[in-house]
């Protein structure tokens, strides 16, 4: 078992600002058409100035952690900017070095170099091996070094150590570590072993020629160096540090590079990823951004640990002195000035291997488990007997102290007694947690037993109530009102139409009932004989059909019957007093029983009472006559 421990040097969580170095490429080629010389120059080891494009007589000054002029060698760049962060990798922390700048500014030369002038990558790998060799002489740690090499081409992650691989996914584990499943990881034991794998893999990187650069990088290249050190003495602590060495592709102006076809597509992917990188830096510097857009690009997803994460980061910004690169240089300097404000929080990634239980102890644990489970079986048998005998609910409550919790507690106590002092703290925490769980289960048991006792008392009271009711209620229980079709003796309301020359609207029709019924309604508001004439649907008029023409009435009934038998759901919903639910019930009845032979069959549909049927017929016949 291994657990993740986040430690910081000195015991406190430290922060590390992104270190930014600017390297100026030597002036190349003939003077430009304006013959104005370089547009940028260095002032000292940290300051430089560039001509203000708004006013040529003014300059804009910048200050960085380091400025490397045209005469600076590869060795000086490595010693002053890169070498100080390599020691952190051996202490289980992450570090990253990446080159940024426009195309043709010398990023690949800074990172890779040449056989005569090696760049940052070969020098950093050699220095890591030298540091490991010096540390191994102490005899306290064992070191293992591995490498992975990939490129991001057109937003696809490709494995350079395995050229036939497809686009690889980028994942994040529960500890916020960025992972690439399927990426080749090769263990190396010396610098020559690294060279044997790195040189062929570098040839697999995508490059092409443009008007501004004869060998332009068309992808972002990332070399991952993983250093794992394990303590020889127990407990076997293991610390893992990662070194990211990134050679970014340069931003391009397609009007000057002359890109077409596939080169144009590559340029678009490069510029988009660099634009996302700029958005990430702006979000980190704002301090109020709700979301940092790491996931908007594969590049920013990989650099998530380097920018605002837990790595010691160094950015080497490469710029060109020619005036044709002026705006690219100006933008790169502004980006570098924003990047140096980013603060990371590095910490040590450490896992501690727990001691393995010996065979003798496991047998004792099996014995303990057997002794614990035997009473549990007896308890189950007794509970089954009580259930058959019909005992009280309180006797059927299972003890919530599960044997698995007891097993854990006993095993942890035995393990604690045999472990070393350094591991007892973790064991004590586990034991305390187990005891806390047992206490909570016991409290729940008491609560269940009190409820069971209450239920048994209520059951006893109910059994006594069968002989003599405690609550005497002579009123009849509330039941559903029977329909008028099934009640033969029920008095029906008598409706007498007004004697006028013309047919009055339904709203003006008066309801006349027997005086005895009305008096009884006033005395008893809840009556089963009379309904209040509040709305249209409650107006029951058996004689209203007699006032209509027989042929017109029959024709309307036939139309309604035709819609009920052949109409779709939409047609049924078009009828008066028929909604979506009622229309679906009619369709279901029609599928089961067939067509309606007469309109009175509609009363067989669920929920269609006699009153609703009467209201339905009245509304639809009058509606058909109005049309």
């Amino acid at each position: 078992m291994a657990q993740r421990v986040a430690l910081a040097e000195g015991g406190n969580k430290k922060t590390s600002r992104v270190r930014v170095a600017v390297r100026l490429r030597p002036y190349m080629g003939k003077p430009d058409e304006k013959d104005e010389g370089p547009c940028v120059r260095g002032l000292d080891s940290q300051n430089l100035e560039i001509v203000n494009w708004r006013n040529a007589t003014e300059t804009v000054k910048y200050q960085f952690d380091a400025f490397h002029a045209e005469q600076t060698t590869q060795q000086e760049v490595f010693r002053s900017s890169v070498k100080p962060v390599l020691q952190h990798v051996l202490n289980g922390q992450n570090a990253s070095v990446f080159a940024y700048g426009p195309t043709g500014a010398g990023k690949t030369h800074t990172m890779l170099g040449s056989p005569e002038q090696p760049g940052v990558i070969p020098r950093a790998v050699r220095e890591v091996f030298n540091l490991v060799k010096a540390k191994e002489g102490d005899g306290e740690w064992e070191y293992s070094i591995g490498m992975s090499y990939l490129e991001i081409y057109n937003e696809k992650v490709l494995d350079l150590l395995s050229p036939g691989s497809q686009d690889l996914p980028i994942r994040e584990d529960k500890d916020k570590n960025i992972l690439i499943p399927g990426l080749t990881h090769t263990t190396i034991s010396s610098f020559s072993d690294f060279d044997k794998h790195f040189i062929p893999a570098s040839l697999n990187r995508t490059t092409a020629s443009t008007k501004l650069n004869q060998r332009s990088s068309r992808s972002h290249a990332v070399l991952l160096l993983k250093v794992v050190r394990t303590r020889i003495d127990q407990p076997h602590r293991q610390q893992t540090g990662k070194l990211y060495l990134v050679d970014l592709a340069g931003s391009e102006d397609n009007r000057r590079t002359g890109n077409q076809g596939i080169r144009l597509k590559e340029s678009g992917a490069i510029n988009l990823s660099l634009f996302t990188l700029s958005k990430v830096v702006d979000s980190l510097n704002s301090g109020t951004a709700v979301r940092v857009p790491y996931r908007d690009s594969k590049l920013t997803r990989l650099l998530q640990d380097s920018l605002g994460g837990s790595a010691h980061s160094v950015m080497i910004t490469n710029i060109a002195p020619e005036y044709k690169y002026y705006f690219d240089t100006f933008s790169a300097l502004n980006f570098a000035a924003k990047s140096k404000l980013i603060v990371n929080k590095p910490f040590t990634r450490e896992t501690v291997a727990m001691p393995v239980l010996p065979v003798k102890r496991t047998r004792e644990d099996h014995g303990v488990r057997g002794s614990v489970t035997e009473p549990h079986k007896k308890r189950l048998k007794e509970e089954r007997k009580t259930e058959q005998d019909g005992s009280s609910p309180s006797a059927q409550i299972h003890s919530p102290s599960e044997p698995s919790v007891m097993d854990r507690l006993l095993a942890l106590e035995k393990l604690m007694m045999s472990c070393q002092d350094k591991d007892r703290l973790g064991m004590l925490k586990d034991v305390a947690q187990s005891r806390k769980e047992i206490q909570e289960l016991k409290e729940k048991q008491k609560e269940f037993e009190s409820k069971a006792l209450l239920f048994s008392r209520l059951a006893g009271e109910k059994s006594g109530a069968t002989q003599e009711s405690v609550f005497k209620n002579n009123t009849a229980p509330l039941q559903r009102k029977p329909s008028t079709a099934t009640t033969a003796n029920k008095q029906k309301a008598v409706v007498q139409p007004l004697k006028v020359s013309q047919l009055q609207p339904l709203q003006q029709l008066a309801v006349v009932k027997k005086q005895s019924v009305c008096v009884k309604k006033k005395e008893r508001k809840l009556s089963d004989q009379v309904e209040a004439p509040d709305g249209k649907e409650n107006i029951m008029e058996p004689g209203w059909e007699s006032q209509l023409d027989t042929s017109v009435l029959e024709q309307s009934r036939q139309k309604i019957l035709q819609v009920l038998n052949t109409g779709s759901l939409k047609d049924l919903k078009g009828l008066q007093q028929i909604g979506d639910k009622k229309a679906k019930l009619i369709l279901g009845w029609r599928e089961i029983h067939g067509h309606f032979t007469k309109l009175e069959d509609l009363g067989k549909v669920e929920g269609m009472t006699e009153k609703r049927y009467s209201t339905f017929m009245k509304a639809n016949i009058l509606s058909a006559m109005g049309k």
Side-chain angles (χ1 to χ4, degrees), residues 343-393:
V343 176
N344 296 340
K345 297 179 180 180
F347 59 87
T348 300
R349 288 162 174 79
E350 180 177 293
T351 56
V352 180
M354 302 297 292
V356 182
L357 296 177
V359 178
K360 185 179 294 184
R361 182 171 301 160
T362 56
R363 290 178 181 175
E364 292 176 357
D365 292 342
H366 285 300
V368 172
R369 290 181 183 177
S371 63
V372 174
T373 54
E374 287 177 358
H376 182 63
K377 292 180 180 178
K378 294 180 180 179
R379 193 184 305 114
L380 288 177
K381 291 181 180 179
E382 293 175 359
E383 290 170 355
R384 289 175 183 173
K385 290 181 181 179
T386 55
E387 289 177 358
Q388 294 176 358
D389 297 337
S391 59
S392 63

Side-chain angles (χ1 to χ4, degrees), residues 365-555:
D365 292 342
H366 285 300
V368 172
R369 290 181 183 177
S371 63
V372 174
T373 54
E374 287 177 358
H376 182 63
K377 292 180 180 178
K378 294 180 180 179
R379 193 184 305 114
L380 288 177
K381 291 181 180 179
E382 293 175 359
E383 290 170 355
R384 289 175 183 173
K385 290 181 181 179
T386 55
E387 289 177 358
Q388 294 176 358
D389 297 337
S391 59
S392 63
S394 61
Q396 299 179 9
I397 301 295
H398 294 274
S399 175
S401 299
E402 297 293 338
S404 59
V405 179
M406 299 299 298
D407 290 345
R408 287 172 53 195
L409 182 58
L410 293 174
L412 287 171
E413 287 181 348
K414 284 190 174 184
L415 182 61
M416 184 186 66
M417 297 302 296
S418 59
C419 288
Q420 298 180 2
D421 295 337
K422 295 182 179 180
D423 300 331
R424 286 190 179 180
L425 182 59
M427 296 300 171
L428 287 173
K429 291 181 180 179
D430 294 339
V431 171
Q433 182 66 22
S434 300
R435 288 178 176 171
K436 184 178 180 181
E437 293 178 1
I438 293 175
Q439 186 64 27
E440 292 177 354
L441 292 175
K442 286 182 178 179
E443 293 177 358
K444 289 184 179 179
Q445 180 184 9
K446 293 179 180 179
E447 183 181 353
F448 292 152
E449 289 177 351
S450 62
K451 289 183 179 179
L453 183 59
L454 180 60
F455 291 153
S456 63
R457 291 179 180 176
L458 291 176
E461 292 177 357
K462 287 182 179 179
S463 61
T466 55
Q467 299 176 359
E468 183 178 357
S469 177
V470 178
F471 301 100
K472 294 183 179 181
N473 188 4
N474 297 326
T475 59
L478 183 63
Q479 297 180 354
R480 184 175 178 178
K481 189 184 300 181
S483 62
T484 57
T486 59
T487 306
N489 298 326
K490 184 176 179 180
Q491 296 181 359
K492 295 185 179 180
V494 178
V495 181
Q496 297 180 357
L498 294 176
K499 296 180 180 181
V500 293
S501 58
Q502 295 181 356
L503 183 64
Q504 299 295 328
L506 289 177
Q507 293 84 348
Q508 299 177 2
L509 293 178
V511 180
V512 180
K513 304 182 185 228
K514 294 182 179 180
Q515 184 177 1
S516 61
V517 176
C518 294
V519 172
K520 190 175 182 179
K521 175 180 175 296
K522 292 180 180 179
E523 295 176 354
R524 294 174 58 191
K525 293 184 179 180
L526 298 176
S527 175
D528 296 337
Q529 298 179 359
V530 181
E531 297 294 332
D534 293 334
K536 294 181 180 179
E537 66 273 11
N538 293 324
I539 300 176
M540 305 285 292
E541 296 181 275
W544 68 271
E545 296 181 355
S546 61
Q547 301 179 10
L548 302 178
D549 189 5
T550 307
S551 60
V552 175
L553 179 63
E554 184 63 26
Q555 186 178 1

Side-chain angles (χ1 to χ4, degrees), residues 39-66:
C39 62
V40 60
R41 66 173 182 176
L43 301 177
D44 51 33
S45 60
Q46 292 183 333
N47 297 278
L48 71 153
E49 62 179 3
I50 185 173
V51 176
N52 188 358
W53 62 278
R54 293 184 177 88
N55 188 352
T57 60
E58 298 178 354
T59 59
V60 180
K61 296 182 180 180
Y62 294 90
Q63 182 179 9
F64 300 100
D65 296 292

Side-chain angles (χ1 to χ4, degrees), residues 46 97 107 122 127-128 195 237 281 321 388 418 531 559:
Q46 292 183 333
V97 180
K107 298 182 300 299
E127 181 64 21
V128 168
D195 232 12
R237 296 162 51 199
V281 173
Q388 294 176 358
S418 59
E531 297 294 332
K559 287 182 180 180

